[in-house]
Amino acid sequence: MKKRLLNRNILFIIIASLLLIGCGQTSIPASTTSLPVVSEASPPTVADVSGNETTNTNLSITEATDATAKTPVIEEEAFEEYDINLLAVGDNLMHMGVVRSGEQKDGSLDYSFLYKGISNYLNRADIKIINQETILAGNERGFSGYPYFNSPTQVGDAIADAGFNVVLHASNHAADQGTDGLISCANYWSEKHPEMLVTGIHANTENLRDIPILTIHDIKFAILNYTYSPNMEVLPESLEGHLNLLCGYNEKTNQLDFTTLNKNVLNDIAHATILADVVIVCPHWGTEYVTTPSSYQREFARQMAEAGADVIIGAHPHVPQPVEWVTANNGKRSLCYYSLGNFVSTQKDGISMLEGMAWVTFHVTKDGVKLSEEKTGILPMVCQYKSGPVRASGVYMLENYSDELAENHGIRSYGGVNLKLDDLNTWSEEIFGSWVLKWDDIHSPQAYIP
């Protein structure tokens, strides 16, 4: 994370100082006019040392105590420090039970209920990331679930309305509806929600290597997103340039190599360190339904850290995985969330109902921005659905979950799992350990709210 310098009105101060000192004079003649305006909008005026009005800057000029010396003393304005909070949730996995949950009596679709359980956290955060696992290829194609998903565009509308401002789309299901479906999804976002930063897919390939950046106050965050594969071992030529790939591939045969990190990932990270203050990398990786990171996840994370990644937030396994610091050979450290698990789904494994919300606090001072470890960690959550028929109910924070909710979870009849609150707490402790946060840990006054 790079340092920022405060260079406010330097040119103006030099001009003001010259006018105050004059050509060997010890005071400013009474006929001296106001100092010249150096910006289009004139700031408020204050009296200068001779009693005339002069333009007020962010720096104050005080008269020296020595009666014979009128040299001004320049005092720098104190920098008001503040926090920037990042929130990220896992896979928005739109099984058909979830899709049908949004059906309204008038025939419309509404998925706002999926995000109400975390509304307080969304309101608290500045950067709000969701992994949109399934493609929104256009409602005219009809809706479908596993294995070739197509989800309603109303899901995207609800994501935007909930307050998210970053959508990750590089997943193994990004090409479920072909290249045309992927392009249609990218166009949907740019046309309907241009305010959203959508990463991982591209409607065209003209600016493929452009770095997606979100600016909060005056801090720039680069947010990069890649998937190991579009559920294929050979990349179709039509997809080249439209989907960000995590793994390398043979440029002659397009055969994917799942053991090698794509060189473009490292190049993008290196480029991002020049353009942004903070670099966040979001890989779609890992082994499904395994709660420990694979050797390839660990090696890719190390390489990303060495290239300059500050935070790594993973998706894909459909279960949560640990959080840890990754230290590269060059000494660079990155905070890695290997997997947040699902955000919403109707899967049948009990461990898939446990998930995490990444929470990262960045503290900004006059010297730059750094990660605040005491306010950084993971907030455990539970995905809730009912059965008969299977319908999504929403998401609960684990600290607010109850035995009664567990007893009424649809996974009991649909998946044959006797889900218990004690099991969820045990899994959370085993996987997240000391990184677990609660609402009170992050609910403190902020110096800056955008």
Side-chain angles (χ1 to χ4, degrees):
M1 286 172 270
K2 301 185 300 183
K3 289 186 177 181
R4 296 156 46 254
L5 300 177
L6 299 176
N7 295 317
R8 297 179 178 175
N9 300 318
I10 297 301
L11 177 60
F12 176 80
I13 294 167
I14 293 172
I15 294 172
S17 298
L18 289 173
L19 287 173
L20 287 171
I21 296 170
C23 299
Q25 298 178 19
T26 59
S27 62
I28 299 176
S31 61
T32 302
T33 59
S34 298
L35 297 180
V37 176
V38 295
S39 63
E40 292 183 4
S42 299
T45 60
V46 295
D48 66 15
V49 293
S50 65
N52 294 316
E53 284 193 338
T54 182
T55 307
N56 183 26
T57 70
N58 290 326
L59 302 179
S60 61
I61 302 176
T62 59
E63 186 177 6
T65 57
D66 189 342
T68 62
K70 296 294 184 178
T71 303
V73 177
I74 300 173
E75 297 178 352
E76 184 176 310
E77 183 183 274
F79 184 88
E80 186 175 356
E81 300 180 6
Y82 60 91
D83 287 344
I84 295 175
N85 293 319
L86 177 150
L87 168 160
V89 297
D91 305 347
N92 213 40
L93 184 51
M94 303 299 293
H95 292 115
M96 287 306 296
V98 183
V99 171
R100 295 189 178 104
S101 301
E103 296 174 348
Q104 305 299 302
K105 292 181 179 180
D106 62 1
S108 63
L109 295 172
D110 183 359
Y111 297 96
S112 59
F113 72 97
L114 294 176
Y115 315 106
K116 286 183 178 179
I118 62 169
S119 60
N120 287 341
Y121 298 83
L122 288 167
N123 292 337
R124 191 86 190 141
D126 307 295
I127 304 168
K128 294 159 271 196
I129 303 173
I130 188 169
N131 179 58
Q132 183 50 47
E133 179 81 11
T134 56
I135 200 73
L136 316 179
N139 296 359
E140 68 280 359
R141 297 171 183 262
F143 306 136
S144 54
Y146 183 82
Y148 300 110
F149 289 91
N150 184 39
S151 304
T153 55
Q154 285 85 349
V155 172
D157 297 338
I159 288 172
D161 291 343
F164 288 98
N165 51 14
V166 181
V167 178
L168 311 176
H169 252 302
S171 81
N172 57 309
H173 291 290
D176 278 3
Q177 298 299 315
T179 303
D180 289 344
L182 183 152
I183 293 173
S184 176
C185 180
N187 285 332
Y188 155 76
W189 285 109
S190 63
E191 294 169 6
K192 298 296 185 182
H193 298 287
E195 76 282 4
M196 303 286 285
L197 181 67
V198 178
T199 68
I201 61 173
H202 310 272
N204 60 67
T205 60
E206 294 176 2
N207 301 311
L208 179 61
R209 298 269 65 88
D210 285 356
I211 302 299
I213 291 178
L214 182 68
T215 301
I216 303 296
H217 200 24
D218 56 351
I219 304 298
K220 291 181 171 57
F221 293 82
I223 304 177
L224 309 173
N225 179 216
Y226 309 88
T227 182
Y228 73 95
S229 159
N231 275 344
M232 305 171 190
E233 294 186 0
V234 178
L235 181 70
E237 290 185 8
S238 64
L239 266 181
E240 288 188 272
H242 292 287
L243 178 63
N244 289 355
L245 289 173
L246 180 70
C247 296
Y249 64 96
N250 186 308
E251 294 182 358
K252 292 182 179 180
T253 65
N254 278 16
Q255 179 77 34
L256 285 158
D257 178 3
F258 300 117
T259 66
T260 303
L261 186 63
N262 192 328
K263 61 183 179 181
N264 288 331
V265 175
L266 299 178
N267 291 338
D268 288 348
I269 294 172
H271 188 196
T273 62
I274 299 172
L275 301 178
D277 301 286
V278 180
V279 179
I280 299 164
V281 185
C282 302
H284 208 79
W285 61 359
T287 306
E288 291 184 337
Y289 311 110
V290 176
T291 58
T292 55
S294 68
S295 59
Y296 295 118
Q297 283 175 277
R298 293 186 182 278
E299 174 57 20
F300 288 179
R302 186 197 62 78
Q303 292 182 53
M304 292 174 185
E306 188 157 347
D310 295 301
V311 180
I312 301 168
I313 303 175
H316 174 64
H318 303 308
V319 293
Q321 292 182 343
V323 185
E324 67 180 24
W325 284 103
V326 175
T327 303
N329 295 337
N330 62 1
K332 168 69 177 178
R333 286 205 319 163
S334 298
L335 181 61
C336 184
Y337 296 80
Y338 283 104
S339 173
L340 300 178
N342 297 327
F343 177 70
V344 64
S345 77
T346 58
Q347 292 192 314
K348 297 180 179 181
D349 297 311
I351 190 66
S352 294
M353 298 301 103
L354 177 67
E355 56 192 67
M357 174 192 292
W359 190 274
V360 184
T361 298
F362 300 94
H363 188 65
V364 183
T365 70
K366 66 178 182 178
D367 296 320
V369 55
K370 64 179 182 179
L371 190 149
S372 178
E373 296 190 33
E374 66 273 13
K375 294 182 181 179
T376 292
I378 195 161
L379 294 138
M381 302 184 294
V382 182
C383 174
Q384 187 83 356
Y385 66 82
K386 56 188 177 182
S387 60
V390 173
R391 296 290 184 266
S393 302
V395 173
Y396 292 84
M397 307 309 295
L398 180 57
E399 66 177 297
N400 300 325
Y401 204 66
S402 66
D403 288 313
E404 182 180 359
L405 285 167
E407 290 171 3
N408 288 286
H409 200 296
I411 199 171
R412 289 184 170 235
S413 58
Y414 184 59
V417 176
N418 186 22
L419 189 68
K420 296 180 179 180
L421 176 57
D422 287 344
D423 293 335
L424 292 164
N425 282 318
T426 298
W427 295 333
S428 175
E429 292 172 5
E430 292 175 348
I431 297 170
F432 301 138
S434 62
W435 288 97
V436 170
L437 295 174
K438 293 186 176 181
W439 171 252
D440 288 343
D441 296 322
I442 65 171
H443 186 60
S444 59
Q446 288 175 298
Y448 167 69
I449 299 177

